């Protein structure tokens, strides 16, 4: 396979040290205040020139990964690129593809994705291989549980967990592999970057977090605890506590949800136009990798 990671080249429009860059650094990211969203950068940059839109050419930094049949990396290359998105996919539509028949009222969804079915099948197969290899190394199952709240007649609030559909887990698995590969490439070459590390925690910390899960026994890694905590009341707290306890270098005080699902030297990307730490990482990639 050839797997491509394409990142909108926000740095091309936000020069380092410019008034725009200084304001973005001050804001640190997009801010949501109730129903209002205050962008880190002008909306024209976020929603137009740096938004990867269907059928439109956009500047990007692309990472190309050549992957063998067993899921091992064969080669990695970086390019400043121009990308044009062929189709904007919906997670819900992808998850319904398998149950749509020719007489279905949503048959149009199958027609929409017909030109891309071979690519999608390859993506699911490759994601499954990556997941299996990462789990063998002690990684966390990257499927996330969403919390649903209900209120009974007495006003009491209860919650339940619903696991994410396959499409989201598939995209996340491919993203983990790409982020880990880029991170290792930069780390091994002493290139500056923003990493999220995954090292084992102190036994006392593991014991405390394990006690919250309530299953007893000894845990050897944070990933084992997080796996056991899925569906439990303290799942969100345990993941947040593990993330905060892990050694990391990031310009954000907020932990990345479930970031321990990946492996060592993960490079974190949210969106360079909406988070300043991602803009810095993109800038470091262009300076450190493309210049070399």
């Amino acid at each position: 396979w050839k797997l491509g990671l394409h990142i909108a080249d926000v740095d091309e429009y936000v020069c380092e040290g410019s008034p725009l860059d200084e304001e973005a650094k001050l804001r640190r990211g997009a801010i949501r205040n109730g129903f209002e969203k205050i962008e880190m950068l002008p909306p024209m940059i976020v929603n137009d020139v740096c938004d990867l839109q269907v059928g439109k050419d956009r500047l990007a930094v692309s990472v190309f990964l050549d992957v063998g049949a067993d899921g091992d990396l064969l080669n990695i290359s970086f390019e400043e690129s121009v990308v044009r998105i062929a189709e904007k996919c919906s997670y819900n539509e992808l998850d319904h593809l398998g149950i749509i028949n020719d007489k279905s009222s949503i048959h149009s969804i199958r027609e929409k994705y017909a030109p891309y079915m071979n690519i999608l099948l390859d993506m699911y197969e490759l994601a499954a291989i990556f997941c299996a290899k990462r789990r063998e190394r002690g990684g966390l199952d990257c499927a996330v549980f969403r919390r649903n709240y209900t209120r009974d007649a007495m006003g009491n609030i209860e919650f339940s967990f619903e696991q994410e559909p396959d499409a989201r887990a598939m995209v996340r698995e491919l993203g983990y592999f790409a982020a880990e590969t880029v991170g290792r490439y930069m780390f091994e070459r002493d290139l500056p970057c923003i990493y999220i590390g995954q090292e084992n925690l102190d036994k006392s910390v593991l014991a405390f977090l394990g006690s919250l899960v309530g299953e007893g026994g000894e845990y050897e890694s944070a990933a084992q605890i997080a796996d056991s905590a899925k569906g439990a009341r303290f799942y969100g707290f345990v993941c947040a506590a593990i993330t905060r306890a892990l050694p990391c270098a990031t310009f954000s005080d907020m932990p990345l949800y479930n970031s321990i699902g990946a492996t060592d030297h993960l490079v974190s990307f949210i969106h360079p136009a909406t988070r300043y730490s991602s803009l810095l990482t993109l800038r470091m990639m262009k300076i450190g990798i493309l210049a070399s």
Side-chain angles (χ1 to χ4, degrees), residues 18-67:
S18 66
L20 195 59
D21 183 52
E22 293 300 321
E23 177 64 22
K25 184 189 300 182
L26 187 65
R27 297 188 180 194
R28 296 193 295 177
I31 303 169
R32 290 191 180 274
N33 181 16
F35 295 102
E36 182 183 9
K37 182 180 181 182
I38 303 174
E39 299 286 0
M40 182 181 75
L41 295 170
M44 181 186 71
I45 292 180
V46 178
N47 301 320
D48 188 8
V49 296
C50 290
D51 186 25
L52 304 183
Q53 299 179 10
V54 175
K56 295 185 178 181
D57 293 341
R58 291 290 184 263
L59 298 181
V61 174
S62 295
V63 183
F64 294 104
L65 309 170
D66 294 324
V67 183

Side-chain angles (χ1 to χ4, degrees), residues 60-278:
V61 174
S62 295
V63 183
F64 294 104
L65 309 170
D66 294 324
V67 183
D70 56 358
D72 289 336
L73 180 69
L74 302 178
N75 186 48
I76 180 172
S77 61
F78 302 83
E79 295 180 19
E80 289 185 289
S81 60
V82 178
V83 299
R84 180 184 296 176
I85 302 301
E87 187 62 73
K88 186 174 182 179
C89 299
S90 162
Y91 289 123
N92 290 335
E93 290 178 350
L94 292 179
D95 289 322
H96 280 91
L97 280 178
I99 62 174
I100 297 173
N101 56 50
D102 293 339
K103 297 181 180 179
S104 172
S105 59
I106 52 176
H107 177 61
S108 58
I109 295 179
R110 176 177 287 179
E111 295 178 339
K112 172 183 175 180
Y113 291 105
Y116 316 110
M117 285 306 300
N118 288 337
I119 295 176
L120 287 170
L121 292 175
D122 278 347
M123 290 172 67
Y124 279 106
E125 181 179 353
L126 188 57
I129 293 174
F130 288 162
C131 182
K133 290 175 70 69
R134 191 169 52 76
R135 296 276 285 172
E136 289 175 359
R137 301 196 302 267
L140 176 68
D141 183 357
C142 70
V144 177
F145 282 74
R146 294 179 294 184
R147 182 176 296 189
N148 296 321
Y149 293 91
T150 57
R151 187 187 298 270
D152 61 22
M154 301 298 293
N156 299 317
I157 297 177
E158 297 181 355
F159 67 87
S160 60
F161 285 92
E162 175 186 348
Q163 190 167 355
E164 281 187 336
D166 289 343
R168 291 181 184 272
M170 176 268 288
V171 171
R172 183 177 290 111
E173 199 66 58
L174 296 178
Y176 276 163
F177 179 82
E180 175 193 355
T181 303
V182 173
R184 288 189 181 280
Y185 180 94
M186 301 184 76
F187 184 84
E188 291 168 358
R189 288 160 179 78
D190 294 324
L191 296 172
C193 197
I194 301 171
Y195 301 105
I196 291 185
Q198 182 185 1
E199 297 180 8
N200 213 0
L201 302 179
D202 183 84
K203 289 186 177 181
S204 61
V205 178
L206 289 174
F208 169 71
L209 295 176
S211 68
L212 294 179
V213 177
E215 292 190 0
E218 295 184 359
Y219 293 92
E220 297 180 358
S221 69
Q224 290 180 349
I225 294 178
D227 255 349
S228 300
K230 283 197 169 184
R233 182 178 296 273
F234 292 111
Y235 175 67
F237 174 82
V238 169
C239 281
I242 291 173
T243 305
R244 284 193 177 277
L246 292 173
C248 62
T250 174
F251 288 91
S252 172
D253 292 329
M254 297 299 295
L256 291 179
Y257 189 67
N258 225 10
S259 65
I260 57 169
T263 53
D264 293 347
H265 313 313
L266 168 72
V267 175
S268 169
F269 275 106
I270 300 300
H271 194 319
T274 60
R275 180 166 170 162
Y276 195 71
S277 60
S278 292

